[in-house]
């Protein structure tokens, strides 16, 4: 039976209600420029709306709320308060609750960001309900399925309809996996948008360097939280012993992830390491940007921080088996030092301190990829689904 609207020749109204799922620190930071872009396009497309689900994967004030406040992210429409837990239980609870919300709210598309358990939960819940998924930061691969984020990335990519890749390498990874049923879009890196958007305000407002009595380019900024580096105390002490040794020559400042802090406390080692390393609580994004800029070297296992180091003109040592940012290894900004022994880390860091800065290049786009993504989502929802699948942009 034909619908009367079609008989009259008018088109059915396109709904452009988006659902954004966030849950962990890097999700919030990457969501901010996307929301800014949505707000910009709402002027032209009043039907473009969104709602925000916070899974509650991260919940401490300095792991969650601070980013909403500093980055002007509106409070979540739904806060699931899932909290910490084993991966299966945590992800499963998220999927169940997100599903209920999606059934009630009927968004036209769900946006999943990054590679956390919250990212995967959002993508799976939507895809089971045949709600199209856009994955922001698609295509990153370390080719090791023991890394929890690798599983999240792989599965999220493979149920997504729009794959927003940050780099050419990420695009090539997806094409090799034969992503025939999705559109791969190379518009740049959303973290570059965030850095450009917040650097000025960070420079104006953050007083962390003065407050901590630090001198610019006279300290190392370090972060360690990856499961591979914090699952067992032996591996963590291997790294922290290196920081203590390095700290004898150059102060090491370490905003410590709660996961790492809990591990040290459980093993009664927190005070021991706090004597040789300047350990502080996790800091807000604005303070972090400033610390990254003023550090002489960044030593980290964070996926995001190693790339921000480049944005902030600071060399980086990556304490992991590999880095997803091959272009920064090629340019000489990232030195990968697999943290297999204290000696290897000390040697790697000392060598990196002597190295010159990396070369110039702009592998992460023009800082407007949030806008390009929203523009693409609008055109996708307005009918360019057909015939465009499997295409690249
Ligand atoms: C998660 C992501 C990781 C990301 C990181 C960003 C997954 C599988 N991992 O790792 O990709 O790089 O977030 O920081 O999604 N905790 C608190 N308070 C909090 C949050 C966590 O105390 O607000 C502690 C809890 O003891 C918890 C532990 O940190 O068990 C780990 O938290 P979880 O979210 O499971 O993983 P992350 O290591 O944070
Ligand atoms: N970050 C922050 N405060 C901190 C440590 C990190 O604001 O104390 C920011 C950092 O600037 C980057 C993001 O958190 O934008 C990276 O998150 P994280 O290292 O937790 O996760 P990953 O990038 O490894 O997934």
């Amino acid at each position: 039976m034909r619908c009367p609207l079609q008989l009259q020749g008018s088109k059915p109204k396109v709904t452009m209600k988006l659902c954004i799922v966030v849950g962990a620190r890097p999700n919030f930071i990457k969501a901010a420029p996307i929301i800014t872009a949505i707000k910009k396009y709402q002027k032209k497309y009043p039907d473009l709306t969104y709602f925000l689900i916070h899974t509650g994967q991260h919940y401490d004030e300095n792991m969650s709320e601070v980013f909403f406040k500093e980055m002007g992210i509106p409070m979540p429409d739904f806060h699931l308060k899932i909290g910490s837990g084993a991966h299966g239980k945590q992800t499963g609870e998220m999927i169940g609750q997100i599903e209920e919300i999606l059934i009630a709210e009927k968004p036209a598309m769900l946006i999943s960001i990054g590679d956390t358990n919250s990212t995967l939960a959002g993508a799976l819940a939507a895809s089971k309900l045949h709600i199209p998924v856009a994955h922001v930061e698609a295509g990153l691969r370390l080719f090791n399925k023991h890394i929890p984020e690798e599983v999240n990335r792989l599965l999220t990519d493979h149920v997504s309809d729009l794959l927003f890749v940050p780099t050419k390498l990420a695009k090539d990874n997806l094409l090799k996996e034969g992503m025939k049923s999705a559109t791969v879009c190379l518009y740049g890196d959303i973290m570059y948008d965030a850095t450009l958007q917040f650097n000025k305000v960070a420079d104006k407002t953050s007083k962390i360097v003065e407050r901590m009595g630090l001198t610019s380019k006279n300290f190392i900024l370090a972060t360690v939280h990856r499961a591979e580096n914090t699952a067992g105390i032996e591996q963590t002490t291997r790294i922290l012993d290196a920081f203590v040794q390095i700290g004898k020559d150059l102060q090491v400042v370490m905003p410590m992830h709660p996961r790492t802090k809990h591990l040290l406390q459980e093993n009664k080692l927190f005070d021991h390491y706090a004597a040789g390393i300047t350990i502080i609580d996790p800091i807000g994004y604005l303070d972090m940007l400033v610390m990254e800029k003023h550090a002489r070297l960044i030593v980290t296992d964070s996926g995001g921080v190693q790339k921000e180091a480049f944005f902030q003109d600071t060399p980086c040592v990556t304490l992991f088996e590999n880095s997803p940012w091959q272009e920064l290894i090629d340019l000489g900004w990232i030195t990968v030092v697999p943290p297999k022994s204290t000696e290897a880390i000390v040697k790697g860091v000392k060598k990196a301190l002597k190295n010159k800065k990396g070369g110039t290049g702009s592998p992460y786009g023009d800082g407007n990829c949030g806008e390009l993504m929203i523009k693409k989502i609008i055109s996708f929802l307005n009918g360019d689904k057909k015939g465009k699948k499997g295409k690249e942009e």
Side-chain angles (χ1 to χ4, degrees):
M1 201 172 77
R2 278 196 279 178
C3 116
L5 274 177
Q6 281 170 330
L7 278 175
Q8 287 161 19
S10 58
K11 279 188 188 167
K13 199 174 157 200
V14 176
T15 71
M16 294 201 286
K17 183 178 186 181
L18 309 178
C19 169
I20 305 173
V21 177
V22 293
R25 176 167 68 186
N27 299 146
F28 311 136
I29 290 163
K30 293 165 199 172
I34 296 173
I35 291 171
T36 305
I38 293 176
K39 284 185 182 159
K40 187 172 169 187
Y41 275 95
Q42 277 174 332
K43 291 184 188 122
K44 193 169 168 195
Y45 299 95
D47 291 337
L48 179 68
T49 59
Y50 77 95
F51 64 94
L52 191 62
I53 301 179
H54 184 337
T55 64
Q57 178 173 348
H58 284 178
Y59 43 85
D60 291 346
E61 198 276 333
N62 56 15
M63 293 294 287
S64 172
E65 210 182 314
V66 64
F67 302 100
F68 286 78
K69 281 188 192 148
E70 284 189 345
M71 304 180 86
I73 305 170
M75 281 299 122
D77 300 276
F78 299 91
H79 200 311
L80 311 185
K81 298 196 164 67
I82 303 279
S84 306
H87 286 235
K89 189 165 184 285
Q90 186 189 49
T91 312
E93 282 176 12
M94 288 177 194
I95 294 172
Q97 291 199 39
I98 295 171
E99 183 178 60
E100 280 179 24
I101 297 168
L102 297 181
I103 289 169
E105 294 293 325
K106 300 183 182 50
M109 181 161 235
L110 179 139
I111 303 177
S112 258
I113 311 167
D115 56 14
T116 66
N117 288 347
S118 303
T119 312
L120 175 64
L124 280 183
S127 109
K128 294 263 183 186
L129 293 169
H130 303 177
I131 294 168
V133 177
H135 184 202
V136 177
E137 208 178 62
L140 298 181
R141 297 288 182 268
L142 288 177
F143 305 101
N144 178 352
K145 284 189 204 159
H146 289 172
I147 300 170
E149 292 81 9
E150 183 84 349
V151 177
N152 293 342
R153 291 191 279 257
L154 271 167
L155 297 177
T156 303
D157 283 342
H158 281 259
V159 296
S160 292
D161 299 81
L162 290 180
L163 293 159
F164 294 122
V165 291
T167 59
K168 167 90 174 56
L169 182 64
K171 177 175 162 179
D172 292 344
N173 288 336
L174 290 179
L175 298 181
K176 275 185 209 147
E177 286 170 24
M179 290 293 194
K180 292 264 187 294
S181 60
T183 305
V184 180
C185 307
L186 175 54
Y187 296 152
D189 189 297
I190 198 68
M191 288 187 80
Y192 186 42
D193 288 29
T195 305
L196 291 184
Q197 196 178 327
F198 291 96
N199 241 343
K200 273 193 203 128
V201 58
D203 287 342
K204 261 193 210 152
T205 58
S206 169
K207 297 279 174 279
I208 187 161
V209 172
E210 297 85 333
R211 200 170 64 236
M212 289 192 65
L214 300 166
T215 315
S216 188
K217 299 295 162 190
N218 205 21
F219 65 94
I220 290 176
L221 177 67
T223 77
V224 173
H225 77 277
R226 291 250 89 81
E228 292 72 9
N229 284 333
T230 55
I233 190 67
E234 294 80 14
Q235 178 57 17
T236 309
T237 55
R238 218 167 265 148
I239 295 172
L240 297 187
D241 285 343
F243 290 175
V244 171
Q245 279 191 43
I246 295 159
K248 287 176 187 158
D249 299 323
L250 186 61
Q251 185 176 4
V252 177
V253 181
M254 188 176 186
M256 191 171 273
H257 192 288
R259 177 185 184 124
T260 318
K261 187 174 185 179
H262 294 164
L263 184 72
L264 292 186
Q265 285 172 333
E266 277 159 24
N267 287 279
K268 303 197 172 22
L269 283 170
F270 184 83
D271 292 343
H272 167 76
Y273 285 111
I277 305 166
T278 309
I279 298 176
I280 55 175
D281 283 336
I283 53 182
Y285 183 59
L286 302 180
D287 279 346
M288 190 65 182
L289 286 177
V290 166
M291 288 292 276
E292 287 169 346
K293 192 178 283 178
H294 287 280
R296 179 149 151 217
L297 181 74
I298 292 175
V299 181
T300 186
D301 62 2
S302 159
V305 172
Q306 42 180 313
K307 192 176 33 174
E308 279 173 350
F310 167 69
F311 300 152
Q312 302 297 63
D313 208 34
T314 301
C316 178
V317 165
T318 296
L319 294 181
F320 209 66
E321 61 183 40
N322 205 347
S323 166
W325 314 113
Q326 182 60 42
E327 48 292 330
L328 295 183
I329 299 174
D330 295 343
L331 282 172
W333 285 95
I334 287 179
T335 309
V336 175
V337 177
K340 290 193 177 135
S341 70
T342 299
E343 295 69 40
I345 299 167
V346 173
K347 203 172 147 202
V349 169
K350 288 201 167 162
K351 189 159 173 262
L353 281 168
K354 286 187 195 136
N355 284 350
K356 283 193 195 136
K357 278 186 182 173
T360 48
S362 48
Y364 299 110
D366 300 325
N368 62 346
C369 84
E371 282 187 28
L372 295 173
M373 286 174 192
I374 296 306
K375 205 170 149 199
K376 177 68 198 173
I377 287 173
I378 292 169
S379 77
F380 177 90
L381 294 176
N382 277 283
D384 81 347
K385 294 175 202 175
K386 259 195 173 173
K388 290 258 179 169
K389 288 188 172 180
K391 283 220 168 173
E392 310 155 37
E393 297 189 0

